[in-house]
Amino acid sequence: MPEYKPFTILIHPKVAEAERVVKEAVSKHRALIVVGRCWVHYLGRAKSKLEPGERILMIKEDGSLLVHRSVGYEPVNWQPPGCVFHTRSKDDFLEVHAVRQKPAESVIVYFDKLFLVSSMDLVDAGEFSLYASEKDMHKAILLKPSLIEEGFKPISYEKKVEPGFVDVYGMDKAGRLVVVEVKRKTATKEAAVQLAKYIDAIKGKADRKVRGILVAPSINKGAHKTLETLGLEFKYLDPKHCANALRQVETKKLADFLQ
Amino acid sequence: MPEYKPFTILIHPKVAEAERVVKEAVSKHRALIVVGRCWVHYLGRAKSKLEPGERILMIKEDGSLLVHRSVGYEPVNWQPPGCVFHTRSKDDFLEVHAVRQKPAESVIVYFDKLFLVSSMDLVDAGEFSLYASEKDMHKAILLKPSLIEEGFKPISYEKKVEPGFVDVYGMDKAGRLVVVEVKRKTATKEAAVQLAKYIDAIKGKADRKVRGILVAPSINKGAHKTLETLGLEFKYLDPKHCANALRQVETKKLADFLQ
């Protein structure tokens, strides 16, 4: 370090200069950052208006757009990838229109003060890997039981039931007991047999129907057949999805507040 | 335009310089942008790893953190407001740790190349207003029926029922017909009476119980009493919340894909 990377940067540019750089960044699919005083109109399924203030506009190479205020981890305005951009300077304003066709939506950002405009090619082939353990999957199910099915209510977890411990134990919306066995990887015949043993143990004590659900990101043929024979069910659930659910549950309160 | 605003900007800085600016931005609650080559570790309820690549790091005055890749409108890593930051340079790396206590979470961003570091005070008192019409509220309910209640299933909308049109018409999870009357502003006695008229008209033809739900962001005393007398229900629903729901439904597919 440092390694020099060619990129464009304008400090306190004139509107015409900024317009040129924004247009070039968009046409060459570069990442663009514009910091300045702006106001924003959104028109789509709903309608929103953001009064003037100093913000950070980011346009990405895939045509997504974000407007960030000085606080909050969520953008105040945004558009998903695939926008078409129209940029123009008009009097002393810079207008950036981000338009989508399906559904018809447009975000217009008007700048009357420009502090910083920068565009560059970001080279990024790095892989993102999210890891959730089997315990994380249990937690996700407990915090967001709809991952199993609508109306599922967990009663306990890691419940001791000979010959071991039931991962998650609950009730479905019809009041039937549900035994959930979770696997982080492909569900095998052994997992299906294990689930069947728990169910047999519980059926002996319970006075009502007991359902068994094997939960895993994938299932092999042997396990599928065994489940069918034993009258048990399978539910696809990815550890990655659980990891996201865990973060979502936790940031939900915040998001609700920010809405 | 242009109006000159004092801010800090470093182009291709050395690690030690960048460290100083990051520390100053964090301690003075300024907005910070760092563009460079980085990798990211997240450890919290789950665990994630992002391999090296060129990205944009944003830290806001409220202590939220975002790492943006060159594509996608969502950040690849993020932390909500309230993080405590620890920054240090070590050999030729810049390390930025963003730590939260409850729940215990940390994001560590390691930079080995720095292209741009900029920090500034963003002055932003502008109000954000999101507008949804009564029609938008109908649409939101149709697309996300749980806005009314879990298990609600819309059957039709703007159904002609003398003396007018029922806003949304559906069935609850117990199989009862539900007539939904939506108001964008405070629900009044008149709205309650109108709903009652629709229900009377439908009861004449239906062979089962009919529920009536008046939906609005607020309700006055007269309307509340009238609903009680008529055996009808009230559900708080904000136009702003509907507008958000509409956007969420629409971007959900994309978000699922990005997960």
Side-chain angles (χ1 to χ4, degrees), chain B residues 194-237:
Chain B
Q194 189 184 5
L195 174 59
K197 281 184 187 160
Y198 291 138
I199 294 193
D200 284 344
I202 289 168
K203 264 189 185 158
K205 297 174 192 166
D207 55 349
R208 46 183 152 178
K209 189 161 162 44
V210 183
R211 289 171 62 197
I213 306 180
L214 184 56
V215 170
S218 54
I219 182 166
N220 68 22
K221 205 175 167 186
H224 192 84
K225 274 196 178 171
T226 307
L227 286 179
E228 223 168 39
T229 310
L230 298 168
L232 304 175
E233 302 160 52
F234 183 73
K235 167 78 188 173
Y236 288 98
L237 187 63

Side-chain angles (χ1 to χ4, degrees), chain A residues 214-239:
Chain A
L214 185 55
V215 170
S218 54
I219 182 166
N220 68 22
K221 205 176 166 186
H224 192 84
K225 274 197 178 172
T226 308
L227 286 179
E228 224 168 39
T229 309
L230 297 168
L232 304 175
E233 301 159 54
F234 182 73
K235 167 79 187 172
Y236 288 99
L237 187 62
D238 204 77

Side-chain angles (χ1 to χ4, degrees), chain A residues 45-219:
Chain A
R45 283 207 164 154
K47 211 157 82 176
S48 78
K49 223 178 222 185
L50 176 63
E51 292 177 349
E54 297 174 359
R55 287 143 201 157
I56 300 166
L57 165 68
M58 201 187 287
I59 294 177
K60 293 192 178 183
E61 62 175 61
D62 62 358
S64 50
L65 170 147
L66 305 159
V67 179
H68 273 282
R69 309 187 73 159
S70 54
V71 293
Y73 76 102
E74 298 206 7
V76 60
N77 280 103
W78 80 96
Q79 289 272 59
C83 290
V84 173
F85 294 89
H86 305 285
T87 308
R88 61 172 177 176
S89 53
K90 202 184 158 188
D91 305 324
D92 270 354
F93 303 113
L94 178 70
E95 293 186 16
V96 181
H97 297 231
V99 182
R100 293 175 71 212
Q101 295 303 333
K102 275 189 183 180
E105 277 191 314
S106 79
V107 166
I108 312 180
V109 187
Y110 301 87
F111 283 94
D112 67 350
K113 290 178 192 168
L114 294 162
F115 309 139
L116 175 65
V117 178
S118 180
S119 90
M120 68 182 72
D121 281 309
L122 293 176
V123 179
D124 184 1
E127 205 182 314
F128 179 68
S129 40
L130 191 56
Y131 181 90
S133 65
E134 220 162 84
K135 286 253 182 188
D136 291 334
M137 293 178 74
H138 299 175
K139 273 191 240 164
I141 293 167
L142 294 171
L143 285 164
K144 199 180 168 185
S146 62
L147 287 172
I148 297 297
E149 64 183 29
E150 273 314 319
F152 175 64
K153 285 202 178 66
I155 300 168
S156 73
Y157 67 103
E158 286 170 18
K159 185 182 166 68
K160 192 164 168 52
V161 173
E162 292 307 338
F165 293 87
V166 163
D167 287 343
V168 180
Y169 179 75
M171 205 180 281
D172 71 9
K173 64 178 169 193
R176 288 171 294 196
L177 291 174
V178 181
V179 175
V180 178
E181 175 69 23
V182 179
K183 293 291 166 200
R184 225 197 143 261
K185 294 187 177 168
T186 302
T188 58
K189 189 179 163 176
E190 288 68 35
V193 171
Q194 189 184 4
L195 175 59
K197 283 184 185 158
Y198 291 137
I199 294 194
D200 284 343
I202 289 167
K203 264 189 184 158
K205 298 174 191 167
D207 55 348
R208 46 184 152 177
K209 190 161 163 42
V210 184
R211 288 171 62 197
I213 306 179
L214 185 55
V215 170
S218 54
I219 182 166

Side-chain angles (χ1 to χ4, degrees), chain A residues 60 66 73 75, chain B residues 65-69 72-78:
Chain A
K60 293 192 178 183
L66 305 159
Y73 76 102
Chain B
L65 171 146
L66 306 159
V67 179
H68 273 282
R69 309 186 75 159
Y73 77 102
E74 297 207 6
V76 60
N77 280 103
W78 80 96

